[in-house]
Amino acid sequence: MLGRLARYLRLMGYDVSYPQASSDARLIATARTEGRVLLTRDRGISLRDGPRAGNPIVIEIASDEIMSQLAQLVGTGWVTRFLEPRCSLCNARLEPMGGWEARHLLPPFTLATQCLFLYCSSCNTVLWEGSHWKHFRESTMPAFDLARKA
Ligand SMILES: [Zn+2]
């Protein structure tokens, strides 16, 4: 339900778990065990399992729209800035990779026009500034502006 938000938060550098569909009790237990904030669109979880001793912090995401979702998280203080990006697919930390090392993973045009690459050794994915996080950062800045105006 919040898969797009999870991918965005990972690219912003936040450690985000996106579990398979599961029971509310299991989601709460996992968030508690892993010390995570639980983001949900499910009002039932936030009403039933909200602030109580031992429960994880639950934030009910109010909107279906990604910029409003990010603005809400900026407004709560949980998202404050861009950190080192994580893999949007699997949440692993990314490692810098030189063009020579990336040559067998990328098309020639990309290699010829980019010089900074990040590699996910967990899922064998390469990101580069030109088409990924530079555009991504620019496209997500409105969330910070929205939160400031709210
Ligand atoms: Zn990955």
Side-chain angles (χ1 to χ4, degrees):
M1 209 182 315
L2 293 173
R4 189 170 188 208
L5 179 61
R7 291 191 303 276
Y8 271 58
L9 289 171
R10 288 171 176 167
L11 284 172
M12 294 173 83
Y14 292 86
D15 178 3
V16 177
S17 173
Y18 191 74
Q20 300 291 321
S22 181
S23 71
D24 292 357
R26 182 173 286 250
L27 287 174
I28 292 288
T30 301
R32 183 173 34 225
T33 302
E34 297 180 5
R36 294 183 181 278
V37 174
L38 180 60
L39 307 178
T40 182
R41 288 280 289 146
D42 183 347
R43 182 166 205 87
I45 290 181
S46 60
L47 289 175
R48 192 181 54 250
D49 301 303
R52 224 174 287 144
N55 275 351
I57 293 170
V58 177
I59 298 176
E60 182 186 338
I61 300 296
S63 174
D64 282 327
E65 199 275 317
I66 188 67
M67 279 310 129
S68 297
Q69 294 173 341
L70 288 172
Q72 181 183 354
L73 293 176
V74 172
T76 64
W78 287 102
V79 171
T80 56
R81 60 194 171 98
F82 288 90
L83 307 169
E84 290 298 313
R86 299 177 80 99
C87 179
S88 63
L89 300 175
C90 75
N91 195 43
R93 291 188 183 281
L94 300 169
E95 308 151 24
M97 176 181 254
W100 177 253
E101 297 169 286
R103 71 192 182 286
H104 61 288
L105 298 168
L106 297 171
F109 176 79
T110 302
L111 282 170
T113 56
Q114 304 297 320
C115 56
L116 181 60
F117 303 96
L118 291 176
Y119 177 65
C120 177
S121 60
S122 179
C123 70
N124 201 35
T125 298
V126 178
L127 301 177
W128 59 95
E129 184 168 346
S131 68
H132 288 96
W133 71 87
K134 183 178 176 197
H135 171 73
F136 173 77
R137 283 182 183 223
E138 289 168 1
S139 70
T140 52
M141 288 313 288
F144 290 89
D145 296 335
L146 279 174
R148 274 186 217 108
K149 289 175 189 162

